[in-house]
Amino acid sequence: MLWLLTSLVIFLSVGFLALFFYKQKFWLSRLQKIEKITDAIKNKRIPPSFLLTGDPLLSAISRNLEDISTELQRLIHASKEEEINLNTILKSMAEGIAIIDRSHLIKIANESFTRILGLSGNPQGKKLVELVQLPEVEKMIEEAFKAQEPLSQEILGTETKGKLSGYFVVDAVPVITKSQDLPSDIMVLVFRDITEIKMFEEARKEFVINVSHELRTPLAIFKGYVETLIDNPRLSKSEVKRIYEILKKHCQRLSSLIEDLLLLARLESRKLTIETTPVSIAEFLAETIQDLHPLFKQKECTVNLLIEPDLPTVEIDPFWFQQAVYNLVDNALKFSIPPRKLVIEAQKIDQNFVLKIIDNGFGIPSKDLPFIFDRFYRGDKSRSSEQKGTGLGLSITKQIVELHGGQIRAISEPEKGTTMELTFPLQRVNGLKEPMEKS
């Protein structure tokens, strides 16, 4: 009996031990699988399987892990999409954009920000003050953080403030949090380059001043002589005729000024179509020189025409191109003294047609060269004041050349003459759309 009881105890013990080790192995394998699933989720991967069998609790854990993984993948995908959209927007913006924190540390910056500030590397992770010294901007940022509202300021960048140069509007915009009780610790900085706008405003003001000056002189003469005629009705016929001749001369001057202003306005607004046709430049220049022969004779000027042999035909608008050549020749003759000599060269260089008009005149000082194509610009006042004209000829010529897809530049030294060099691609860029009458 004792033997039987002992055998039963041993049997039950072995059974319990076997069951214990089986359960332990079962749970160990399930825990290992849970560990693999959670490791995959932690590393933002999708596990091969979420299936956990053998117990209702394990099935519930399996479903929960799958839901967590699905939501995590959704959030990751949405985050990537938002990042791509943000980067696309920032990259496409001409304005310089930077996101900074309260310590003025740059968190994000677009390419325009790097370009505008003249930075050589990625500004991310650096403080604004390390990159460019702008005390007024630093102060504005602090005030915007304190007030928790957008602030804006116009600044002038100079060489003393790093590589930032020109006129800029800087906006400091705190990023408002959902909770109004918590102040924003993030700010968006926007740098807008308004240099061209400022330059346009200055050019417009200068243009108005110059036009007013050009109109004032003939109008004053008109007023003076009209008053003379009114106050002196018994003037001799010869004196009245002299006055009328003076008034006529200044009427023509005003008419020329207005016509040139209207033409320049049309050219600058690009409302002119260049109607090109293949032209033999040798024949074209020979005809032009012939047309100008009376002027050359009057000015006692000798002309040397140098045309490269076998020069291909050039796509130009004969009417407007001739106007450009007339203006350049007339300008060369005005600013030179006898014995006047003019050389006109035409040649092919690479895939370009190059025309040079070379005079032996006064020359142009280097300080004036960048501005000679500006409207009404006159470098040497003592000489230019003696010359007749509207002061718009070179501006008009430049516009005509550019509408042909070409470029014009002046090469000159004082007392050594000037070379006007016109360069055009042999395959011309098309002109603009709206035609203009050639009259």
Side-chain angles (χ1 to χ4, degrees), residues 373-390:
F373 297 104
D374 293 351
R375 295 167 293 189
F376 298 112
Y377 184 81
R378 290 184 173 90
D380 190 332
K381 307 298 182 186
S382 63
R383 286 174 175 170
S384 62
S385 61
E386 300 172 359
Q387 308 302 326
K388 298 178 181 179
T390 63

Side-chain angles (χ1 to χ4, degrees), residues 304-318:
N304 190 10
L305 187 58
L306 304 176
I307 300 177
E308 180 181 311
D310 302 322
L311 190 68
T313 58
V314 180
E315 290 276 341
I316 59 172
D317 183 310

